[in-house]
Coordinates of all heavy atoms in Angstrom, one line a residue:
I36 N 10.4 -24.6 -27.8 CA 10.6 -23.2 -28.3 C 10.8 -22.4 -27.1 O 10.3 -22.5 -25.9 CB 9.3 -22.6 -29.0 CG1 8.0 -22.7 -28.3 CG2 9.1 -23.4 -30.4 CD1 6.8 -22.0 -29.0
N37 N 11.6 -21.3 -27.4 CA 12.0 -20.3 -26.3 C 11.2 -18.9 -26.8 O 11.8 -18.4 -27.8 CB 13.4 -20.2 -26.2 CG 14.0 -19.2 -25.2 OD1 13.0 -18.6 -24.5 ND2 15.3 -19.0 -25.1
F38 N 10.3 -18.6 -26.3 CA 9.5 -17.5 -26.8 C 9.8 -16.1 -25.9 O 9.8 -16.3 -24.7 CB 8.1 -17.8 -26.8 CG 7.1 -16.8 -27.5 CD1 7.1 -16.8 -28.8 CD2 6.6 -15.7 -26.8 CE1 6.3 -15.9 -29.5 CE2 5.8 -14.8 -27.6 CZ 5.7 -14.9 -28.9
P39 N 9.8 -15.0 -26.4 CA 9.8 -14.7 -27.9 C 11.2 -14.8 -28.6 O 11.3 -14.5 -29.7 CB 9.2 -13.4 -28.0 CG 9.7 -12.7 -26.6 CD 9.9 -13.8 -25.6
A40 N 12.3 -15.2 -27.8 CA 13.6 -15.1 -28.3 C 13.7 -15.7 -29.7 O 14.4 -15.3 -30.7 CB 14.7 -15.6 -27.3
D41 N 13.2 -16.9 -29.8 CA 13.4 -17.8 -31.1 C 12.7 -17.0 -32.2 O 12.9 -17.5 -33.4 CB 12.7 -19.1 -30.9 CG 13.5 -20.1 -30.1 OD1 14.7 -19.7 -29.7 OD2 13.1 -21.1 -29.7
Y42 N 11.9 -16.1 -31.9 CA 11.1 -15.5 -33.0 C 11.4 -14.0 -33.3 O 10.7 -13.3 -34.0 CB 9.5 -15.6 -32.7 CG 9.0 -17.0 -32.8 CD1 9.3 -17.9 -31.6 CD2 8.4 -17.6 -33.8 CE1 8.8 -19.1 -31.6 CE2 8.0 -18.9 -33.8 CZ 8.2 -19.7 -32.7 OH 7.8 -21.0 -32.8
S43 N 12.5 -13.7 -32.8 CA 13.0 -12.3 -33.0 C 13.0 -11.8 -34.6 O 13.6 -12.6 -35.2 CB 14.4 -12.2 -32.4 OG 15.0 -10.9 -32.7
G44 N 12.5 -10.7 -34.8 CA 12.6 -10.4 -36.3 C 11.3 -10.8 -37.2 O 11.2 -10.5 -38.3
K45 N 10.4 -11.5 -36.3 CA 9.2 -12.1 -37.0 C 8.0 -11.6 -36.4 O 8.0 -11.5 -35.1 CB 9.2 -13.6 -37.1 CG 10.4 -14.3 -37.9 CD 10.0 -15.6 -38.2 CE 9.9 -15.6 -39.8 NZ 9.3 -16.8 -40.3
W46 N 6.9 -11.5 -37.0 CA 5.6 -11.2 -36.3 C 5.1 -12.7 -35.9 O 5.5 -13.7 -36.7 CB 4.6 -10.8 -37.3 CG 4.8 -9.3 -37.6 CD1 5.7 -8.8 -38.5 CD2 4.1 -8.1 -37.1 NE1 5.7 -7.4 -38.6 CE2 4.7 -7.0 -37.7 CE3 3.1 -8.1 -36.2 CZ2 4.3 -5.7 -37.4 CZ3 2.7 -6.6 -35.8 CH2 3.2 -5.5 -36.4
V47 N 4.4 -12.8 -34.9 CA 3.9 -14.1 -34.3 C 2.4 -13.9 -34.1 O 1.9 -12.9 -33.4 CB 4.6 -14.6 -33.1 CG1 4.0 -15.8 -32.5 CG2 6.1 -14.8 -33.4
I48 N 1.6 -15.0 -34.4 CA 0.2 -15.0 -33.8 C 0.2 -16.1 -32.9 O 0.4 -17.4 -33.3 CB -0.8 -15.2 -35.1 CG1 -0.7 -14.0 -36.1 CG2 -2.2 -15.3 -34.5 CD1 -1.6 -14.1 -37.1
L49 N 0.0 -15.8 -31.6 CA -0.1 -16.9 -30.6 C -1.5 -17.1 -30.2 O -2.1 -16.1 -29.9 CB 0.7 -16.4 -29.4 CG 0.6 -17.3 -28.1 CD1 1.2 -18.7 -28.3 CD2 1.3 -16.6 -27.0
F50 N -2.0 -18.2 -30.5 CA -3.6 -18.3 -30.3 C -3.8 -19.5 -29.4 O -3.1 -20.5 -29.4 CB -4.3 -18.3 -31.6 CG -4.2 -19.7 -32.3 CD1 -5.4 -20.3 -32.5 CD2 -3.1 -20.1 -33.0 CE1 -5.4 -21.7 -33.1 CE2 -3.1 -21.3 -33.7 CZ -4.2 -22.1 -33.7
S51 N -5.0 -19.5 -28.7 CA -5.3 -20.7 -27.9 C -6.6 -21.2 -28.5 O -7.4 -20.4 -29.0 CB -5.4 -20.3 -26.4 OG -6.4 -19.1 -26.3
H52 N -6.8 -22.5 -28.2 CA -8.1 -23.2 -28.6 C -8.5 -23.9 -27.4 O -7.6 -24.4 -26.6 CB -7.9 -24.0 -29.9 CG -7.1 -25.2 -29.7 ND1 -5.7 -25.1 -29.7 CD2 -7.4 -26.4 -29.5 CE1 -5.1 -26.3 -29.6 NE2 -6.1 -27.1 -29.3
P53 N -9.8 -24.2 -27.1 CA -10.3 -25.0 -26.0 C -9.7 -26.3 -25.8 O -9.3 -26.6 -24.6 CB -11.7 -24.8 -26.1 CG -12.1 -23.7 -27.0 CD -10.9 -23.8 -28.0
A54 N -9.7 -27.1 -26.7 CA -9.3 -28.5 -26.6 C -9.2 -29.3 -27.8 O -9.7 -28.8 -28.9 CB -10.4 -29.2 -25.7
D55 N -8.4 -30.3 -27.9 CA -8.1 -31.1 -29.0 C -9.4 -31.9 -29.3 O -10.2 -32.2 -28.3 CB -7.0 -32.0 -28.7 CG -5.7 -31.4 -28.5 OD1 -5.5 -30.3 -29.0 OD2 -4.7 -32.1 -27.9
F56 N -9.6 -32.3 -30.4 CA -10.7 -33.3 -30.9 C -12.1 -32.6 -30.5 O -13.0 -33.3 -30.1 CB -10.6 -34.7 -30.1 CG -9.6 -35.5 -30.5 CD1 -8.3 -35.7 -29.8 CD2 -9.6 -36.2 -31.7 CE1 -7.3 -36.4 -30.2 CE2 -8.6 -37.0 -32.1 CZ -7.4 -37.0 -31.4
T57 N -12.2 -31.4 -30.7 CA -13.5 -30.6 -30.6 C -13.9 -30.1 -31.9 O -12.9 -29.7 -32.8 CB -13.4 -29.5 -29.5 OG1 -12.3 -28.7 -29.7 CG2 -13.5 -30.1 -28.1
P58 N -15.1 -29.9 -32.3 CA -15.6 -29.6 -33.6 C -15.2 -28.2 -34.1 O -14.5 -28.1 -35.3 CB -17.1 -29.8 -33.5 CG -17.4 -29.8 -32.3 CD -16.3 -30.4 -31.5
V59 N -15.5 -27.2 -33.3 CA -15.1 -25.9 -33.7 C -13.6 -25.7 -33.9 O -13.2 -25.1 -35.0 CB -15.7 -24.8 -32.9 CG1 -15.4 -23.3 -33.2 CG2 -17.2 -25.0 -32.6
C60 N -12.9 -26.2 -33.0 CA -11.5 -26.1 -33.0 C -10.9 -26.7 -34.3 O -9.9 -26.2 -34.9 CB -10.8 -26.7 -31.9 SG -11.2 -26.0 -30.2
T61 N -11.5 -27.8 -34.7 CA -11.0 -28.5 -35.8 C -11.2 -27.7 -37.1 O -10.3 -27.5 -38.0 CB -11.8 -29.9 -36.0 OG1 -11.5 -30.7 -34.8 CG2 -11.4 -30.7 -37.3
T62 N -12.2 -27.0 -37.3 CA -12.6 -26.1 -38.4 C -11.6 -24.9 -38.4 O -11.1 -24.4 -39.3 CB -14.0 -25.6 -38.4 OG1 -14.3 -24.7 -37.3 CG2 -15.1 -26.7 -38.6
E63 N -11.3 -24.4 -37.1 CA -10.4 -23.3 -37.0 C -9.0 -23.8 -37.4 O -8.3 -23.0 -38.1 CB -10.3 -22.8 -35.5 CG -11.5 -22.1 -35.1 CD -11.3 -21.3 -33.7 OE1 -10.5 -21.9 -32.9 OE2 -11.8 -20.3 -33.6
F64 N -8.5 -24.9 -37.0 CA -7.1 -25.3 -37.3 C -7.1 -25.5 -38.9 O -6.0 -25.1 -39.5 CB -6.8 -26.7 -36.6 CG -6.0 -26.5 -35.3 CD1 -6.5 -25.5 -34.4 CD2 -4.8 -27.1 -35.2 CE1 -5.7 -25.3 -33.2 CE2 -4.2 -27.0 -34.0 CZ -4.6 -26.0 -33.0
M65 N -8.1 -26.0 -39.4 CA -8.0 -26.3 -41.0 C -7.9 -25.0 -41.7 O -7.3 -24.8 -42.7 CB -9.1 -27.2 -41.3 CG -9.0 -28.7 -40.8 SD -10.2 -29.9 -41.4 CE -9.5 -30.4 -43.0
T66 N -8.8 -24.1 -41.1 CA -8.8 -22.7 -41.8 C -7.5 -22.0 -41.6 O -6.9 -21.5 -42.7 CB -10.0 -21.9 -41.3 OG1 -11.1 -22.7 -41.3 CG2 -10.1 -20.5 -42.0
F67 N -6.9 -22.0 -40.5 CA -5.6 -21.3 -40.2 C -4.5 -22.0 -41.2 O -3.8 -21.2 -41.7 CB -5.2 -21.5 -38.8 CG -4.8 -20.2 -38.2 CD1 -4.5 -20.1 -36.8 CD2 -4.4 -19.0 -39.0 CE1 -4.1 -18.9 -36.3 CE2 -4.0 -17.9 -38.5 CZ -3.7 -17.7 -37.1
Q68 N -4.5 -23.3 -41.1 CA -3.6 -24.0 -41.9 C -3.7 -23.7 -43.5 O -2.7 -23.4 -44.1 CB -3.6 -25.5 -41.7 CG -2.5 -26.3 -42.4 CD -1.1 -26.0 -42.0 OE1 -0.9 -26.0 -40.7 NE2 -0.2 -26.0 -42.9
S69 N -4.9 -23.6 -43.9 CA -5.1 -23.2 -45.4 C -4.5 -21.9 -45.7 O -4.2 -21.6 -47.0 CB -6.5 -23.3 -45.7 OG -7.3 -22.1 -45.2
M70 N -4.3 -21.0 -44.7 CA -3.8 -19.6 -44.9 C -2.3 -19.5 -44.6 O -1.7 -18.4 -44.7 CB -4.6 -18.6 -44.2 CG -6.1 -18.6 -44.5 SD -7.0 -17.8 -43.2 CE -6.7 -16.0 -43.6

Side-chain angles (χ1 to χ4, degrees):
I36 60 173
N37 179 1
F38 190 84
D41 287 350
Y42 292 83
S43 173
K45 297 202 113 191
W46 289 79
V47 173
I48 299 177
L49 174 66
F50 80 108
S51 57
H52 66 278
D55 299 337
F56 291 102
T57 47
V59 177
C60 298
T61 301
T62 63
E63 288 195 323
F64 263 52
M65 293 183 83
T66 308
F67 223 169
Q68 181 66 42
S69 77
M70 300 163 78

